Amino acid sequence: MAKFCTPLLLLIIIWTTWALAENPKGEGLLSCLQAGGIKNITVVSSANFDSLLDFNAQNLRFTEPQVSKPYVIIIPASKSQLQQSVVCTIENGWEVRVRSGGATLVKIYSAVTSSSPNLAFSVGICPTIGSGRHISGGGQSFMLRKYGLAADNTLDALLINASGKIMDKNTMGEDVFWAVRGGGGGSWGVVFAFKIGLVSVPSIVTTFNALRYGRDNVTDLVHRWQYLAPQMNEDITMRTQLGGINVNNTKVSRALFIGLFLGQKEGLVAKVGKVFPELGMAANETHEMSYVESIAYFNSDLENIYDRYYPSKSFFKIKSDFAKSPISKSGISGLLDILEEEVTSFVNLNPHGGRMDGILSSAIPFPHRAGSLFGLQYMVT
Ligand SMILES: Cc1cc2nc3c(=O)[nH]c(=O)nc-3n(C[C@H](O)[C@H](O)[C@H](O)COP(=O)(O)OP(=O)(O)OC[C@H]3O[C@@H](n4cnc5c(N)ncnc54)[C@H](O)[C@@H]3O)c2cc1C
């Protein structure tokens, strides 16, 4: 089954290094937009400009005063307004910066599961993420071992180029369609919509959350995990998150084994118990629910799950990496040395294998396929 997932709202941000409201280039742009019937325009001198610009920034680094600001924010109300906005911008000598529209991941989950609770789309777990760049950057989920990335499941796209021309898979050309599925947003045009391929999920899935402590215990478990998690049944995606914690002024290592099983808890506990008995997964560390509820489960701020404005904002920096061979026990222990010192930082290890091994590294721009054991995310706050 395939659907065109249409942004409900798209912010276009027109950027310049000299953001002056009285700028003559600005007058040309504004009159072109107004002539095109575009009304939702906010210039840099407007009182609500900063709140509109920053409302969906998830990383507070980008809201600091030294970060340069655009001249105008345009929210096109339709596909034709989006085309017109691009044309006016380019014709008047400005640069376009796109920000993802209203089609957040949670809106995709809701739309898909309201049509059938047994359908889903393989996207990330954080509900406020916009679909525009998430899909065009790859999009990793807790189902990637079964179904691959969001971009692997993207069947078509409507792309608006710098001349305002709208193109689909056939008219944009094979190379551009390859690039928009994982090659990054903003470089190839503005994506108005993606057609997404849906996948089957059971009525009941199981989430799990097993926290383990202690340097030797964590080192041994994580070392073993590297050999097992990429080889597990592809219905199981088991992430491990490594960090440190202060307990009564003593620094302790911790590892959180967290993830999703596309099936019921008895099956999960039996499968994990067989291949990874050292973890000692207990039934009370597993929770049955529907697939859409699992998305909410992984996000602590449930009240705001449908709200694009997510209040739990912080300053952070994340770098990604990919492992082709397991890390030695001394390497893991060295990593834990650092994480115990910096207890607000952590490292996620996200297993590949399964479907990820079956997709050619040249199929889309995301190349980390067969031979890539797991992805690493280093996060500092
Ligand atoms: C809290 C949090 C959790 C995350 N969790 C995951 C996860 O589980 N899995 C995962 O894979 N990633 C995850 N990410 C990373 C996320 O996928 C990226 O940050 C992604 O860029 C967000 O997409 P966006 O559309 O909101 O980006 P935006 O900030 O809106 O845009 C980023 C870039 O994409 C361009 N762009 C946006 N929309 C379009 C469009 N329609 N057409 C053309 N270009 C466009 C913009 O111009 C910009 O260059 C997470 C990020 C955060 C902040």
Side-chain angles (χ1 to χ4, degrees), residues 13 15 49-70 73 99 133 313-319 380:
I13 300 187
W15 217 277
F49 183 89
D50 285 348
S51 56
L52 182 58
L53 181 67
D54 295 338
F55 91 98
N56 69 339
Q58 306 299 349
N59 189 341
L60 294 174
R61 288 161 63 92
F62 297 108
T63 64
E64 295 202 316
Q66 66 269 26
V67 175
S68 65
K69 297 211 184 312
I73 297 171
R99 192 176 274 181
R133 166 62 168 79
K313 295 178 190 292
S314 60
F315 292 87
F316 63 89
K317 185 166 184 175
I318 300 182
K319 290 278 183 192
V380 292

Side-chain angles (χ1 to χ4, degrees), residues 7 10-11 56-59 82 96-101 103-105 109 123-142 149-150 158-159 184-194 239 299 308 310 312 316 318 377:
L10 198 91
L11 270 72
N56 69 339
Q58 306 299 349
N59 189 341
L82 174 57
V96 181
R97 293 286 183 272
V98 186
R99 192 176 274 181
S100 215
T104 56
L105 299 192
Y109 307 134
V123 272
I125 54 167
C126 296
T128 57
I129 297 176
S131 57
R133 166 62 168 79
H134 183 74
I135 298 173
S136 59
Q140 302 182 48
S141 77
F142 271 146
L149 306 171
L158 294 181
L159 183 75
S187 307
W188 323 103
V190 181
V191 175
F192 174 71
F194 283 111
R239 165 189 288 182
N299 293 280
R308 187 87 196 265
Y310 193 62
S312 307
F316 63 89
I318 300 182
Q377 286 177 305

Side-chain angles (χ1 to χ4, degrees), residues 153-171:
N153 292 283
T154 296
L155 309 174
D156 205 342
L158 294 181
L159 183 75
I160 294 170
N161 73 6
S163 316
K165 187 176 167 200
I166 189 148
M167 298 169 295
D168 67 7
K169 173 183 174 175
N170 296 322
T171 49

Side-chain angles (χ1 to χ4, degrees), residues 297-357:
Y297 172 84
F298 290 119
N299 293 280
S300 49
D301 205 343
L302 295 185
E303 276 180 20
N304 297 295
I305 194 163
Y306 288 98
D307 188 350
R308 187 87 196 265
Y309 180 83
Y310 193 62
S312 307
K313 295 178 190 292
S314 60
F315 292 87
F316 63 89
K317 185 166 184 175
I318 300 182
K319 290 278 183 192
S320 294
D321 206 350
F322 295 89
K324 290 191 165 177
S325 55
I327 306 169
S328 64
K329 283 193 181 181
S330 61
I332 295 168
S333 191
L335 180 57
L336 293 169
D337 278 340
I338 299 167
L339 292 170
E340 282 183 6
E341 285 304 313
E342 302 289 342
V343 290
T344 57
S345 303
F346 57 82
V347 175
N348 280 329
L349 310 182
N350 299 306
H352 287 190
R355 178 78 188 117
M356 292 293 278
D357 286 354

Side-chain angles (χ1 to χ4, degrees), residues 53-290:
L53 181 67
D54 295 338
F55 91 98
N56 69 339
Q58 306 299 349
N59 189 341
L60 294 174
R61 288 161 63 92
F62 297 108
T63 64
E64 295 202 316
Q66 66 269 26
V67 175
S68 65
K69 297 211 184 312
Y71 168 66
V72 62
I73 297 171
I74 309 164
I75 305 180
S78 63
K79 186 166 63 184
S80 59
Q81 284 201 2
L82 174 57
Q83 289 175 283
Q84 182 68 27
S85 304
V86 171
V87 170
C88 288
T89 308
I90 303 292
E91 278 182 2
N92 283 279
W94 297 81
E95 288 181 26
V96 181
R97 293 286 183 272
V98 186
R99 192 176 274 181
S100 215
T104 56
L105 299 192
V106 72
K107 286 186 175 162
I108 297 180
Y109 307 134
S110 305
V112 171
T113 53
S114 63
S115 69
S116 166
N118 296 112
L119 290 172
F121 180 48
S122 183
V123 272
I125 54 167
C126 296
T128 57
I129 297 176
S131 57
R133 166 62 168 79
H134 183 74
I135 298 173
S136 59
Q140 302 182 48
S141 77
F142 271 146
M143 293 200 297
L144 93 173
R145 302 192 63 255
K146 175 93 173 181
Y147 294 119
L149 306 171
D152 294 323
N153 292 283
T154 296
L155 309 174
D156 205 342
L158 294 181
L159 183 75
I160 294 170
N161 73 6
S163 316
K165 187 176 167 200
I166 189 148
M167 298 169 295
D168 67 7
K169 173 183 174 175
N170 296 322
T171 49
M172 77 178 72
E174 203 180 324
D175 53 348
V176 179
F177 185 58
W178 180 87
V180 296
R181 289 171 301 152
S187 307
W188 323 103
V190 181
V191 175
F192 174 71
F194 283 111
K195 183 184 263 185
I196 59 180
L198 304 183
V199 298
S200 299
V201 287
S203 301
I204 296 190
V205 303
T206 305
T207 57
F208 55 91
N209 193 325
L211 190 54
R212 301 291 181 265
Y213 296 99
R215 173 64 66 95
D216 291 346
N217 187 31
V218 165
T219 302
D220 288 346
L221 287 173
V222 173
H223 187 256
R224 187 91 183 102
W225 172 94
Q226 302 173 100
Y227 293 87
L228 301 171
Q231 306 298 333
M232 274 183 195
N233 180 302
E234 61 190 31
D235 286 331
I236 307 173
T237 296
M238 179 187 282
R239 165 189 288 182
T240 177
Q241 184 187 87
L242 283 81
I245 187 168
N246 261 322
V247 180
N248 299 329
N249 289 329
T250 305
K251 290 169 177 169
V252 178
S253 301
R254 63 161 184 88
L256 178 66
F257 295 85
I258 185 169
L260 179 72
F261 172 56
L262 296 172
Q264 299 184 6
K265 64 159 57 175
E266 289 78 14
L268 172 68
V269 173
K271 282 182 169 61
V272 173
K274 193 169 170 193
V275 296
F276 195 10
E278 302 89 334
L279 181 62
M281 179 183 271
N284 66 4
E285 293 174 318
T286 67
H287 311 278
E288 288 182 343
M289 58 193 74
S290 68

